[in-house]
Amino acid sequence: MGPEWIAIIALVALFVVGTVLPINMGALAYVAAWFVGMYALDLDEKEILAGVSGDLILTLIGVTYLFAIARNNGTVDLIVRTAVRAVGGRVALIPWVMFAVTAVLTGIGAVSPAACAIIGPIALGFAGRYGISPLMMGMFVVHGAQAGGFSPISIYGVITNSVMQDAGLPSSEITVFLASLIVNTVMAAILFVALGGRKLMAMRIDPDEEDTLDEDLHRGGATVPARGMGTSAPTGTQAQGVRRDQVLTLIAFVGVALVALVFDKNIGFVAITAAVILAMLAPNEHKDAVKQIAWPTVLLVAGVSTYATILTTAGSPEFVGNWAAGLGAAAIGALVLCYVGGIVSAFASSTALLPVIIPIAVPLIADGGINAAMFVAALAVSSTIVDVSPFSTNGALMLANKPDTIEEPVYYKQILTYAVIVTLAGPLLVWAALVLPGW
């Protein structure tokens, strides 16, 4: 058996074990990289560890550290409250506010599950209070997270763009971002129409009542059950107006985006610098923020990126790409890879999958005449729209925060049914919209 097969079998094994058992897939990937690298490829340990990207790890640490500070000082709550007041009490706009706020959070660097964990309980609370479909509201949050999830300064965006650069593919940050934004917005629009959104257009609420409710929810920084909501809102800091530290945090977000994009500076260094400055201005308040860095995600990405190098060294991407290209048409091979990304990600981590699935597509792009930017965008979207699955972190968060107005078996069945539809139809539609026109 050749090393390419050994590397592929080990990859399948780590995904299966990581799905069945509650073990971080990054840790499993390190083990697989060590064994495959040493015994199938005859690499030494320094060569195996050379696969991890210090730039990528610094970016993950920097942006999640900055976001932890924003969550601690109430800036995230401020964004949510401001957005809700901005709709002027129009109930039909509340799902879209939740979609937009979640998209902004992931777009500025929040890990997708973190954004869903913060906005999900608030969104589903509104669903229980005002008779909005919990399925619609929960899926709006998840699709919102993915809509903003591929911005050039987001976690998914950084991973995807780094992998493309390492693979020698042309830069396409805006293409990937817009593809995810448009597809997920369309999915949300379909849900809105199908699940009673038009009936909500006649409903209005008093924004002042929501301010009073917000004070109850965040009184003294404690979690208080929402009146009639059927769920509890997350802990937060109630502010009378906008505090100085929140203004500074908002400025930091804008500054990070400008310095990284306009002046082309490393986003990891810029984000961690902004986080350290904010922490220095309020050291006691943010002394525990570093503990909230997404360390499991850091381990996940570090391990998987290390194993991705092992896959490349073993020749597995070329092997799979040549097999897909040999199916008769490059476009068919692209469709197969879109489905591989979608199905695997429905049961495993999208963050872990992206560094693996994109290099596999390189031979198909090189030999099949497929537009690299559109193909990578199709792979990225196919691998993330399925995060509505109740087996994924985001879908599970929506299930865990269901309103009391719906029974759990019913809600679980609704989410599962929708996830199956998205997993079966999503990659095909994305492939038809993004890959075929450029083939």
Side-chain angles (χ1 to χ4, degrees):
M1 182 182 296
E4 68 278 0
W5 270 111
I6 295 175
I8 292 173
I9 292 172
L11 174 65
V12 173
L14 74 89
F15 269 116
V16 171
V17 175
T19 302
V20 175
L21 300 177
I23 302 175
N24 187 293
M25 202 171 294
L28 294 170
Y30 267 126
V31 174
W34 187 42
F35 280 105
V36 174
M38 290 189 66
Y39 300 109
L41 299 175
D42 197 26
L43 301 176
D44 62 39
E45 290 162 339
K46 288 186 177 180
E47 291 174 317
I48 295 171
L49 290 174
V52 67
S53 171
D55 175 73
L56 180 56
I57 299 305
L58 176 61
T59 298
L60 290 173
I61 293 174
V63 296
T64 55
Y65 186 19
L66 179 60
F67 182 77
I69 291 176
R71 183 173 54 198
N72 287 349
N73 65 19
T75 303
V76 172
D77 287 341
L78 173 66
I79 294 171
V80 172
R81 291 196 308 271
T82 302
V84 171
R85 277 194 67 86
V87 305
R90 297 176 179 85
V91 175
L93 295 181
I94 291 177
W96 291 105
V97 169
M98 299 303 155
F99 178 94
V101 172
T102 314
V104 169
L105 292 179
T106 55
I108 62 177
V111 179
S112 179
C116 289
I118 293 169
I119 305 302
I122 300 173
L124 290 167
F126 278 115
R129 183 180 178 104
Y130 297 111
I132 304 172
S133 165
L135 177 64
M136 177 175 71
M137 193 66 100
M139 297 304 99
F140 260 59
V141 172
V142 178
H143 282 304
Q146 310 309 350
F150 284 92
S151 80
I153 63 172
S154 68
I155 299 296
Y156 285 158
V158 169
I159 292 173
T160 301
N161 297 328
S162 297
V163 173
M164 289 185 70
Q165 183 178 3
D166 292 343
L169 298 176
S171 176
S172 58
E173 293 95 338
I174 301 303
T175 300
V176 176
F177 170 51
L178 290 179
S180 184
L181 176 64
I182 292 171
V183 168
N184 282 281
T185 302
V186 170
M187 298 290 288
I190 293 172
L191 282 169
F192 186 81
V193 173
L195 298 177
R198 288 173 293 181
K199 294 180 180 179
L200 301 177
M201 293 181 180
M203 296 178 60
R204 297 290 292 269
I205 60 176
D206 184 359
D208 293 331
E209 178 186 350
E210 296 312 306
D211 280 348
T212 302
L213 174 63
D214 191 61
E215 292 176 7
D216 291 342
L217 288 174
H218 299 286
R219 188 188 307 119
T223 300
V224 180
R227 297 190 301 270
M229 282 192 170
T231 188
S232 298
T235 301
T237 303
Q238 171 65 18
Q240 300 298 328
V242 182
R243 299 197 313 267
R244 173 177 172 274
D245 58 347
Q246 294 171 339
V247 172
L248 291 175
T249 303
L250 292 173
I251 293 174
F253 278 135
V254 175
V256 167
L258 290 177
V259 173
L261 297 179
V262 177
F263 298 100
D264 194 27
K265 298 300 181 181
N266 182 284
I267 181 66
F269 279 119
V270 177
I272 203 167
T273 300
V276 168
I277 291 173
L278 292 173
M280 290 174 66
L281 293 174
N284 291 329
E285 180 181 356
H286 301 309
K287 63 181 179 180
D288 292 329
V290 71
K291 298 178 182 178
Q292 301 173 43
I293 294 174
W295 295 116
T297 302
V298 173
L299 173 60
L300 179 67
V301 172
V304 172
S305 64
T306 300
Y307 192 76
T309 301
I310 296 297
L311 276 174
T312 302
T313 304
S316 299
E318 292 80 4
F319 178 80
V320 175
N322 291 333
W323 172 81
L327 293 175
I332 300 301
L335 176 61
V336 171
L337 288 182
C338 285
Y339 266 106
V340 169
I343 293 173
V344 172
S345 185
F347 296 93
S349 168
S350 301
T351 308
L353 181 66
L354 288 172
V356 175
I357 195 73
I358 294 175
I360 289 177
V362 172
L364 202 59
I365 293 172
D367 301 332
I370 297 177
N371 181 279
M374 300 302 282
F375 187 15
V376 171
L379 287 175
V381 174
S382 296
S383 300
T384 52
I385 59 171
V386 295
D387 283 355
V388 298
S389 165
F391 307 112
S392 71
T393 303
N394 292 349
L397 285 168
M398 297 307 106
L399 180 62
N401 289 286
K402 74 169 190 66
D404 290 340
T405 54
I406 186 172
E407 296 180 359
E408 183 171 350
V410 175
Y411 191 38
Y412 173 78
K413 184 177 180 180
Q414 290 178 354
I415 294 179
L416 182 60
T417 301
Y418 179 65
V420 169
I421 293 172
V422 171
T423 304
L424 293 179
L428 176 61
L429 297 177
V430 169
W431 169 81
L434 299 178
V435 176
L436 282 185
W439 180 47

